[in-house]
Amino acid sequence: MNPLQWLLWSRARFMAVLAAVAAVILMAAIAALTSPAGTPQTAVPGNAEPTASHTPLDDDGGAPTDTRVPDNKPNIIYTAKGFIDAWLSGRTTPTDRWLASIHVWASPILDPAMNATNREAIPDARWGSATVTNITATSGTADVTLTNGSHLIVIVTFDGQQWLVTDLAEGTAP
């Protein structure tokens, strides 16, 4: 049986495949329409990789160690804000649109948690401010304060191409 025969074998199968294709196209369209640059989580040029220090060799002839970390704060804040804004819309946005808006900002590792989220428990608040509390060349942690005073800890990681949220947890006030 060729793929076309398999697809057309039953009306239910055809409708399921058609619905899946439509969902993928809808998610791509929402992602493109909600991002100012098409790919909101793309690294800011020059901030994705650490730079060499050009220090002389150590006295023992060993290679120098570069301990500097590039300034990835803009990438971390931008990605955390995009994710939090999408996440907070979960109280009022239909599930499929809500999950599609989150996927623009989040790693697939968060899919099970987002699918299991009790959307009624999402705070009725907006982004307030954020502080980057931990930063490396490829990851960072943002402590986000919402307008209702609650705090969220957002872990953002660079996967070599884009910055994505890999974890979200409730935080405590500083």
Side-chain angles (χ1 to χ4, degrees):
M1 175 180 293
N2 70 36
L4 184 58
Q5 287 174 326
W6 178 87
L7 178 63
L8 297 173
W9 188 256
S10 74
R11 179 179 168 91
R13 181 179 293 162
F14 177 75
M15 295 306 289
V17 171
L18 185 62
V21 169
V24 168
I25 291 171
L26 178 65
M27 284 191 283
I30 289 172
L33 292 174
T34 60
S35 65
T39 53
Q41 65 275 33
T42 300
V44 173
N47 287 344
E49 299 293 329
T51 57
S53 63
H54 301 294
T55 57
L57 294 177
D58 292 347
D59 290 337
D60 64 358
T65 303
D66 184 5
T67 58
R68 293 182 302 150
V69 174
D71 183 12
N72 288 320
K73 287 181 184 179
N75 296 320
I76 294 164
I77 296 294
Y78 184 75
T79 303
K81 181 172 185 342
F83 176 83
I84 292 298
D85 287 346
W87 183 74
L88 289 172
S89 74
R91 293 178 58 88
T92 59
T93 305
T95 302
D96 57 339
R97 280 188 33 214
W98 179 66
L99 289 172
S101 69
I102 286 176
H103 285 164
V104 172
W105 303 100
S107 167
I109 198 168
L110 281 181
D111 286 352
M114 293 299 105
N115 288 324
T117 297
N118 174 3
R119 292 176 42 206
E120 293 176 6
I122 294 174
D124 186 15
R126 292 178 313 193
W127 172 276
S129 63
T131 304
V132 175
T133 58
N134 184 24
I135 190 168
T136 70
T138 58
S139 67
T141 304
D143 182 355
V144 178
T145 304
L146 302 179
T147 55
N148 68 353
S150 62
H151 286 261
L152 298 171
I153 304 300
V154 182
I155 308 295
V156 179
T157 304
F158 185 67
D159 70 359
Q161 296 180 342
Q162 57 190 355
W163 290 89
L164 295 171
V165 173
T166 55
D167 202 4
L168 173 69
E170 286 187 61
T172 57

